[in-house]
Amino acid sequence: MEITVQWIRTSWTKESRGGEAASRRNAAPIGFALPPAETATTAHVIRMHERDGFEPFNTQEDCGKVDVQLREADGRLRVFPRVQPLFALPPRPRRPPAVRLAPGQWVRWQLNYRFSSALGIRGWSYWLDTFNIAYGPVNADVFLSTPTMFIDEQGPLR
């Protein structure tokens, strides 16, 4: 069965925590049309950063490099993002369970992080990871629609 993976990472600093810059960041898409895939094991990866005005940069990477566990069993796809790295905030002592997708379904799962630089010299930086994962054949616009399941695992970043 086909598995389609899209991973969006939005990153910023305290400069985009409020005002006009935060409005640009919050307006960044959380789903994109899919490019033609090179192989079935390729993920569509998008990076958006404050320094680029949150303009998307598209790449394709091996699915094994995406921080999400995917396992097929009994005609369903088990999806569970890994929380990386362990030193980031917010703490996640209790995570939601993995989701099991039936053919034709897709999930959007969001996690956020806050990091301090070494010795706290450069201040805080932030990430928002959005995983869009579909099970079964899809069209290029699948992640522009409403997901079958949405898991919001964003915590307070202060």
Side-chain angles (χ1 to χ4, degrees):
M1 184 68 69
E2 290 180 46
I3 300 170
T4 306
V5 176
Q6 184 176 80
W7 178 20
I8 304 164
R9 174 165 288 163
T10 307
S11 54
W12 65 96
T13 68
K14 67 179 181 177
E15 303 303 318
S16 295
R17 292 254 327 172
E20 186 178 317
S23 295
R24 277 194 309 277
R25 174 178 50 86
N26 290 331
I30 55 174
F32 291 85
L34 295 166
E38 292 177 10
T39 68
T41 61
T42 302
H44 182 211
V45 179
I46 299 102
R47 299 287 181 253
M48 295 182 286
H49 195 277
E50 163 188 273
R51 71 177 164 260
D52 302 319
F54 300 103
E55 287 296 318
F57 175 73
N58 295 286
T59 63
Q60 292 187 1
E61 293 183 18
D62 183 84
C63 281
K65 294 183 179 182
V66 178
D67 285 335
V68 66
Q69 297 173 352
L70 303 171
R71 187 174 316 134
E72 286 183 281
D74 302 323
R76 292 187 174 260
L77 177 66
R78 181 183 183 275
V79 177
F80 193 64
R82 296 179 195 99
V83 173
Q84 302 267 345
L86 296 176
F87 58 83
L89 293 173
R92 299 180 201 279
R94 300 185 80 174
R95 296 195 60 212
V99 299
R100 291 175 45 89
L101 299 176
Q105 294 182 327
W106 72 278
V107 63
R108 174 171 288 143
W109 197 310
Q110 291 189 301
L111 299 112
N112 61 348
Y113 302 92
R114 180 181 75 179
F115 303 93
S116 66
S117 64
L119 304 174
I121 296 171
R122 293 190 314 186
W124 297 101
S125 61
Y126 304 88
W127 288 356
L128 172 63
D129 279 344
T130 302
F131 298 98
N132 295 318
I133 300 170
Y135 190 48
V138 296
N139 64 40
D141 294 337
V142 64
F143 297 136
L144 301 178
S145 64
T146 302
T148 309
M149 292 179 228
F150 176 68
I151 308 295
D152 186 352
E153 200 176 349
Q154 297 180 70
L157 298 178
R158 293 188 284 158

